[in-house]
Amino acid sequence: MQRFKVTQISKPFFHSTEVGKPAPPQKLSKSYASVFKKWVVRGLKLTFYSTLAGTLYVSYHLYRESNPPKQIPQSSAFANGLKKKELVILGTGWGAISLLKKLDTSLYNVTVVSPRSFFLFTPLLPSTPVGTIEMKSIVEPVRSIARRTPGEVHYIEAEALDIDPKAKTVLVQSVSESEFFVSNVNYDYLVVSVGAKTTTFNIPGVYGNALFLKEIEDAQNIRMKLMKTIEQASSFPRNDPERKRLLTFVVVGGGPTGVEFAAELQDYVDQDLSKWMPDLSKEMSVILIEALPNILNMFDKTLIKYAEDLFARDRIDLQVNTAVKSVEPTYIHTLQGGQKASDIPYGMLVWATGNEPIELSKVLMGKVPEQTNKRGLLINDKLELLGAEESVYAIGDCTAHTGFFPTAQVAHQEGEYLARTLDKKLEIEQLEWDMLNTADETKVSRLQSEIDSKKSKLDKFNYKHMGALAYIGSETAIADLHMGDSSYQLKGMFAFLFWKSAYLAMCLSIRNRILIAMDWTKVYFLGRDSSV
Ligand code: FAD
Ligand code: NAD
């Protein structure tokens, strides 16, 4: 019989051998073992170095965050004699803080006026009432944000009551009980970024009976009411109608706020309460009421359908085409399809039906004739307030947007745009000042062309919509992403991971990122802490 030789292809897998004679098993397993060992060592090395790099990166940024360099103090003028302008920013929300973070604060004497001394990361606010995220993890003091900017920033804990665009003053009133004052703050430039409040459409009984979800105190109120109501219900015997009413939780408004909160609430019932109060948890019901035929109307239709199907599976009672007409202390009165009336008893009611202007915006609408829109402040394409274009800007939810929803994404982009504009404006003023102070003809014409070129670069605000994300419960989310002219829809578990990473990336500080990541990990292993 002829004998063949197999050519050796590569060590150590193939060995020169004769047909019918297998390679010695001992040698083969030895070579596998050595390759395996090599890869394990490589894996361990990679893990070690990436952990080390990650730790160094986080430590360095944490150090930088908690030890910011010295700031340039406020002053009346620059070294060349040009007067430093007073820039007053109203608000500490998405618009104001995005502006503050991006602006070179050494170029202006910056004063921030807001009744809220911290920034609130609203996208994760619906996770806080049930304890998925701790409230302190999504707030950041305005003083620490301001301290990390190049120039000194003054903060006044007060509410703006009125604006006089002619005299360029803002009337402010302190919110601190210990130090009450009402005074005028002068400005050269004013940025109004005061947000909006939850609208009730003047539906009777909403104030006094319903809870809102806009600020951190709202989340605290919901948490307290939720826990109290559950305890109260447990004192009634099973099948008692009062127990059934108390265990009915109604959310009004099928926009993203209502949907995300209803989803978090149902998660809490299914994943936590079911362990500690199994019988009672089975009796709890979450009802989501929406006046339109669908929830989440800013999302793609396939995603809306996915969310509605998931709600049906997760036992969230979705009642669409149902508008709340009045609210009583123990039940709501609704109209279905505009006709059939029905009363829904509730133990806790959360109201999330969109935005309306706050008092200060209404005051401005009343006194500036160009402000003719009742939904929000009117601005031009450079974000200047109509009627006070030369000195007042308005950004974020307090403005009447056309074409896009009032979101953090819009307010953030507007804030960053305004920071760039204010930087450029000062460069122009510096050049104009230099021009005033020189008699050299060639220098004057060079400065003039530089000024013209800079002025031509003061572009208008151009919003880039990146898409929308929403958590819909049971560790699933939906994402409607936009890139250029294309759009992509993600749903389910993968979208949930994307949602988590997107929000971690959006956080303003490493500190918040660490706290939020720790909260998620804690919930995974230990469950939610919903103690009040
Ligand atoms: P805000 O962030 O509301 O800030 C307003 C600021 O003005 C506050 O600091 C307030 O204290 C201050 N202020 C109020 N009155 C006065 C006054 N008289 N004088 C001075 N200061 C005053 N958007 C997204 O893009 N993605 C999300 O996932 C998302 N999730 C959300 C979840 C919830 C629960 C809510 C309520 C909103 C969410 N939004 C989200 C919308 C987003 O939060 C808003 O669009 C964004 O906060 C608007 O920014 P703003 O700066 O205009 O107002
Ligand atoms: P919204 O305006 O988006 O939705 C409110 C919903 O309430 C509407 O669908 C409306 O039809 C319904 N409604 C109004 N009156 C009603 C009534 N009497 N009875 C029953 N339903 C009624 O409001 P929102 O969810 O509070 O959001 C406010 C803004 O914040 C929006 O621009 C939203 O895009 C943004 N936001 C975004 C996210 C996110 O991107 N994940 C999360 C929260 C909020």
Side-chain angles (χ1 to χ4, degrees):
M1 195 203 284
Q2 201 187 347
R3 290 179 180 227
F4 295 100
K5 253 194 162 187
V6 176
T7 324
Q8 189 171 347
I9 297 175
S10 78
K11 284 183 199 169
F13 295 102
F14 293 89
H15 298 268
S16 161
T17 183
E18 286 175 342
V19 171
K21 238 186 177 185
Q26 221 183 346
K27 260 192 183 173
L28 194 66
S29 65
K30 206 172 167 190
S31 56
Y32 271 129
S34 75
V35 171
F36 179 69
K37 202 171 140 196
K38 209 161 121 192
W39 279 105
V40 167
V41 171
R42 273 188 194 174
L44 285 175
K45 271 189 184 167
L46 192 72
T47 315
F48 173 74
Y49 286 124
S50 44
T51 312
L52 187 68
T55 313
L56 285 176
Y57 175 85
V58 170
S59 313
Y60 170 73
H61 283 276
L62 269 179
Y63 178 81
R64 285 280 309 270
E65 265 179 28
S66 42
N67 297 282
K70 262 192 159 183
Q71 289 179 301
I72 297 166
Q74 297 208 347
S75 60
S76 55
F78 289 100
N80 64 359
L82 174 69
K83 179 187 173 289
K84 228 179 185 185
K85 291 202 161 155
E86 302 296 321
L87 169 66
V88 176
I89 302 171
L90 304 182
T92 43
W94 274 100
I97 296 300
S98 304
L99 161 65
L100 194 63
K101 281 200 75 184
K102 185 88 181 170
L103 182 76
D104 181 349
T105 51
S106 65
L107 304 181
Y108 293 90
N109 287 332
V110 182
T111 302
V112 176
V113 177
S114 176
R116 197 177 75 195
S117 61
F118 53 86
F119 168 76
L120 171 64
F121 189 78
T122 48
L124 291 177
L125 188 62
S127 305
T128 55
V130 295
T132 311
I133 296 283
E134 289 306 320
M135 292 174 203
K136 62 180 183 307
S137 307
I138 58 164
V139 298
E140 168 135 45
V142 65
R143 292 211 182 260
S144 64
I145 299 170
R147 181 63 188 82
R148 295 198 294 264
T149 66
E152 185 189 8
V153 174
H154 290 167
Y155 168 64
I156 306 175
E157 192 180 24
E159 191 182 353
L161 301 179
D162 198 0
I163 295 166
D164 184 342
K166 287 203 180 89
K168 295 193 180 176
T169 57
V170 189
L171 181 70
V172 307
Q173 179 181 300
S174 69
V175 291
S176 148
E177 280 164 22
S178 57
E179 203 196 337
F180 182 80
F181 62 84
V182 179
S183 65
N184 271 313
V185 177
N186 298 324
Y187 66 83
D188 292 300
Y189 292 125
L190 175 71
V191 179
V192 184
S193 182
V194 293
K197 61 178 183 176
T198 305
T199 186
T200 65
F201 298 104
N202 292 324
I203 292 171
V206 178
Y207 283 117
N209 293 311
L211 298 164
F212 300 100
L213 186 52
K214 192 93 185 153
E215 295 291 342
I216 208 83
E217 306 88 72
D218 298 330
Q220 265 155 353
N221 291 340
I222 296 177
R223 188 185 279 206
M224 273 192 309
K225 177 80 181 171
L226 177 68
M227 297 309 139
K228 253 189 184 169
T229 312
I230 291 172
E231 287 307 328
Q232 234 181 317
S234 69
S235 66
F236 288 93
R238 258 172 162 243
N239 302 325
D240 188 307
E242 187 59 2
R243 178 172 163 121
K244 188 170 175 1
R245 175 184 76 77
L246 286 166
L247 292 176
T248 306
F249 294 89
V250 175
V251 181
V252 182
T257 305
V259 164
E260 290 189 327
F261 176 64
E264 288 279 356
L265 192 54
Q266 190 65 45
D267 278 0
Y268 170 68
V269 175
D270 293 343
Q271 296 165 12
D272 295 78
L273 205 65
S274 60
K275 287 185 200 149
W276 318 123
M277 301 170 104
D279 292 338
L280 186 133
S281 76
K282 283 185 201 125
E283 295 166 61
M284 263 184 80
S285 64
V286 178
I287 302 178
L288 178 64
I289 296 183
E290 167 56 49
L292 297 175
N294 292 105
I295 54 169
L296 296 172
N297 286 295
M298 75 284 290
F299 283 84
D300 181 86
K301 282 196 173 61
T302 53
L303 298 179
I304 295 176
K305 167 100 177 53
Y306 181 80
E308 290 178 349
D309 289 349
L310 189 94
F311 272 19
R313 195 203 72 187
D314 283 355
R315 299 187 296 112
I316 293 179
D317 180 3
L318 179 59
Q319 302 195 7
V320 290
N321 286 314
T322 306
V324 177
K325 288 292 161 193
S326 68
V327 178
E328 302 295 334
T330 54
Y331 67 91
I332 50 172
H333 182 65
T334 64
L335 275 190
Q336 280 148 350
Q339 291 165 1
K340 205 180 108 215
S342 108
D343 290 341
I344 303 172
Y346 66 84
M348 183 180 82
L349 175 67
V350 174
W351 193 268
T353 55
N355 292 347
E356 73 171 51
I358 67 157
E359 268 323 296
L360 180 70
S361 306
K362 288 183 189 163
V363 167
L364 267 177
M365 288 168 195
K367 73 195 302 181
V368 180
E370 289 82 352
Q371 292 299 323
T372 51
N373 191 321
K374 292 276 169 278
R375 284 189 304 111
L377 299 173
L378 290 174
I379 48 175
N380 63 17
D381 57 15
K382 289 186 175 153
L383 311 184
E384 295 159 344
L385 187 83
L386 296 193
E389 286 87 344
E390 73 294 346
S391 58
V392 184
Y393 296 92
I395 55 176
D397 282 8
C398 62
T399 61
H401 288 114
T402 43
F404 34 85
F405 291 95
T407 60
Q409 204 183 146
V410 174
H412 170 72
Q413 289 186 26
E414 288 179 335
E416 292 208 328
Y417 160 86
L418 208 51
R420 289 193 297 272
T421 302
L422 287 164
D423 281 359
K424 284 184 202 159
K425 270 200 152 177
L426 187 81
E427 283 175 23
I428 294 170
E429 277 165 24
Q430 289 278 13
L431 292 170
E432 284 171 344
W433 178 254
D434 289 350
M435 206 163 78
L436 264 179
N437 289 293
T438 182
D440 181 344
E441 290 283 317
T442 36
K443 196 172 172 194
V444 168
S445 74
R446 184 179 55 77
L447 286 169
Q448 186 58 60
S449 61
E450 227 178 299
I451 291 169
D452 293 342
S453 136
K454 288 212 183 281
K455 277 191 176 164
S456 69
K457 283 182 194 146
L458 282 176
D459 46 357
K460 55 183 186 177
F461 173 67
N462 184 16
Y463 173 60
K464 287 191 188 70
H465 185 58
M466 318 286 275
L469 301 170
Y471 179 64
I472 53 171
S474 301
E475 309 203 326
T476 53
I478 50 173
D480 207 344
L481 306 176
H482 291 247
M483 278 170 218
D485 291 338
S486 320
S487 71
Y488 305 91
Q489 283 76 42
L490 304 178
K491 50 186 191 279
M493 181 73 180
F494 182 67
F496 173 61
L497 294 176
F498 182 80
W499 175 86
K500 276 190 161 179
S501 2
Y503 284 164
L504 274 186
M506 273 166 70
C507 282
L508 292 193
S509 68
I510 292 266
R511 176 191 163 276
N512 285 102
R513 261 176 224 148
I514 294 174
L515 290 176
I516 291 167
M518 275 165 49
D519 287 346
W520 279 329
T521 316
K522 217 163 61 184
V523 165
Y524 189 77
F525 289 106
L526 306 173
R528 288 171 180 79
D529 176 7
S530 47
S531 51
V532 282

